[in-house]
Amino acid sequence: MRNFYVFIVIILSITGYGQNVTTILNSPDADIDDALALDSKGNLYGSNFVGDAVYKITPSGEVSAFVTGLRNPNGLAVDSNDNLFVAEYSGAAIYKYDSDGNLLESFPLGDDVPSGMIKSLYKDTVIYTDVRDNAIKELLPDGTIKVLYEGEPLSAPVGLAFDRRGALYIGNFGDRAIFRLWPKSGKLDYVATVPDSGTDFPFLAFIAYANGFLFGTNYGEHKIYKINPRAIDDVTVYAGSTNGSADGDFSEATFSYPAGIISNRSGSELYISEFSGVGNVRKISRRKKRCEIDIELKSYPNPVSDVLNIAVELEEEGNFDIKIYDLFSRELVFESQEVYDGDDFLKTVSVEGWRTGLYKLEISKGNCKRYKLIIVR
């Protein structure tokens, strides 16, 4: 039987991303120093933990006190109707407000000390951290509290973030460890620990999920860390270096005690509050830029059942990466860093033991990426 091979020769125009930091709020009178939340209209809400207010920033930049008179407002969450939930850290309560700031419901929490909060992924309930019981709890509409997980290794949990598969990531405040909780099974997995060099404020504040990665803020390091949830302890510095407030390219921008962090729905923007007392709120925006690269890509056979051949020819020499993802589980199943030296390049990858289905082949050089669909049978 003759083998059938598919060869694709492409002159690629690939979109990469640069990232830029801007200060969108600088107001000691509206000191947003803690949790952040976004509603469907792009309004940004921020807590003033050392004060008594939650502030609102409209997409046009208008700032107002959304609600006042709270006792250490902490975690925030927005439901599908743009109602805002506020965790009152020192008041052992969660409050629900409509989009105009009118109080709709109050939920007393007994002896709980609520901190971080997030909307449930598939329903209109909120999940909050209880730093007293080292627990993750769900607040149901009737005020009933459901315990999702309690006890070690959680230790003063604060940060919460969902990925697209429904896994809930939890960040410990004190030891900066991050765990993954599967709500249906109650299984808890260790993911990573955000480092600290012995600073004056060595705490993991909040976490966010965007584009397949977690992002966590470390107060004392003045840094934002990027965490790969598909590996163990795969943590890198994403932005920040020394204490400061410099805007510009995210590789040079500085932060002052970064605290709250949240991503917009598309993952193109990250918002960061600062526990510095000056009321700064920062935004990291991913701006598109074009990469023009000539690549000759050959991958065969496709469908593949035993060995996949990946032939690459680049316009210029240098390092490039090959990654293959299982589109069903979204897991990275193969990764390799290669060097192109101008000669013919061929990489063979065994797919023995891989599940039948669709896979994404990714070739990347710098910020430029090329994808191709692979069928394993």
Side-chain angles (χ1 to χ4, degrees):
M1 179 181 295
R2 289 168 47 186
N3 292 325
F4 178 71
Y5 302 108
V6 179
F7 297 90
I8 303 175
V9 180
I10 303 174
I11 304 300
L12 288 178
S13 176
I14 305 175
T15 301
Y17 292 89
Q19 294 169 92
N20 192 64
V21 177
T22 56
T23 299
I24 65 170
L25 176 68
N26 183 352
S27 173
D29 296 329
D31 186 4
I32 295 176
D33 60 12
D34 204 64
L36 298 171
L38 281 165
D39 68 14
S40 65
K41 298 179 179 62
N43 296 304
L44 179 68
Y45 299 88
S47 296
N48 179 204
F49 182 79
V50 299
D52 69 348
V54 173
Y55 294 95
K56 176 181 178 180
I57 307 175
T58 68
S60 62
E62 298 177 6
V63 184
S64 61
F66 182 74
V67 61
T68 60
L70 299 168
R71 298 170 60 190
N72 302 117
N74 201 187
L76 304 174
V78 177
D79 70 11
S80 62
N81 294 313
D82 280 342
N83 298 312
L84 180 70
F85 290 79
V86 181
E88 192 180 45
Y89 183 88
S90 296
I94 290 175
Y95 300 103
K96 178 181 178 181
Y97 301 90
D98 67 16
S99 57
D100 294 320
N102 299 309
L103 179 63
L104 299 178
E105 292 183 83
S106 300
F107 301 96
L109 303 177
D111 294 330
D112 288 2
V113 180
S115 184
M117 190 160 52
I118 193 171
K119 177 190 173 297
S120 299
L121 193 60
Y122 300 117
K123 52 186 175 179
D124 255 353
T125 62
V126 294
I127 295 172
Y128 69 95
T129 67
D130 176 4
V131 299
R132 176 182 177 273
D133 293 337
N134 294 321
I136 308 301
K137 300 180 179 181
E138 182 179 9
L139 175 64
L140 303 179
D142 64 358
T144 303
I145 298 172
K146 179 182 179 182
V147 177
L148 303 181
Y149 191 92
E150 184 174 355
E152 295 181 349
L154 299 185
S155 177
V158 173
L160 295 172
F162 275 109
D163 70 12
R164 295 176 181 175
R165 297 178 296 169
L168 178 63
Y169 294 88
I170 305 158
N172 281 349
F173 184 78
D175 63 12
R176 304 174 309 283
I178 297 174
F179 301 89
R180 176 174 44 231
L181 175 66
W182 299 95
K184 289 185 178 180
S185 67
K187 181 183 178 183
L188 192 73
D189 299 323
Y190 173 79
V191 176
T193 297
V194 171
D196 188 272
S197 59
T199 66
D200 61 338
F201 214 31
F203 305 115
L204 174 66
F206 291 86
I207 60 176
Y209 178 87
N211 302 312
F213 292 91
L214 295 168
F215 298 86
T217 54
N218 184 327
Y219 291 108
E221 291 284 336
H222 310 296
K223 295 174 184 176
I224 298 154
Y225 286 88
K226 183 178 181 179
I227 302 102
N228 177 8
R230 297 172 296 277
I232 300 296
D233 281 325
D234 186 356
V235 183
T236 57
V237 175
Y238 178 68
S241 53
T242 59
N243 189 353
S245 57
D247 287 340
D249 188 89
F250 89 122
S251 64
E252 300 176 353
T254 55
F255 298 84
S256 181
Y257 296 94
I261 184 167
I262 191 171
S263 170
N264 66 351
R265 183 170 297 183
S266 68
S268 62
E269 295 174 340
L270 286 172
Y271 295 88
I272 298 101
S273 67
E274 296 182 333
F275 201 74
S276 58
V278 298
N280 281 355
V281 175
R282 320 290 294 283
K283 180 172 73 171
I284 300 177
S285 301
R286 302 200 322 155
R287 62 184 186 274
K288 290 185 177 181
K289 62 182 182 180
R290 304 297 292 181
C291 301
E292 301 292 337
I293 300 177
D294 290 348
I295 297 178
E296 183 176 351
L297 170 65
K298 304 175 184 178
S299 56
Y300 55 90
N302 195 7
V304 59
S305 58
D306 48 13
V307 175
L308 176 68
N309 299 289
I310 304 170
V312 178
E313 183 178 337
L314 303 178
E315 183 180 284
E316 56 186 39
E317 298 180 0
N319 296 334
F320 70 98
D321 295 305
I322 300 174
K323 295 181 180 179
I324 303 176
Y325 296 90
D326 182 338
L327 289 181
F328 177 78
S329 66
R330 297 180 181 172
E331 296 288 339
L332 178 66
V333 297
F334 178 82
E335 180 177 19
S336 177
Q337 184 176 77
E338 306 293 343
V339 177
Y340 183 72
D341 59 7
D343 294 330
D344 293 341
F345 176 89
L346 178 65
K347 184 74 174 183
T348 60
V349 179
S350 173
V351 301
E352 184 178 357
W354 293 17
R355 76 170 81 212
T356 300
L358 299 177
Y359 291 76
K360 180 177 72 173
L361 168 63
E362 174 187 297
I363 306 293
S364 62
K365 181 173 174 58
N367 291 321
C368 302
K369 297 182 179 181
R370 164 63 176 162
Y371 305 99
K372 186 179 178 185
L373 191 67
I374 302 295
I375 302 173
V376 174
R377 64 182 182 187

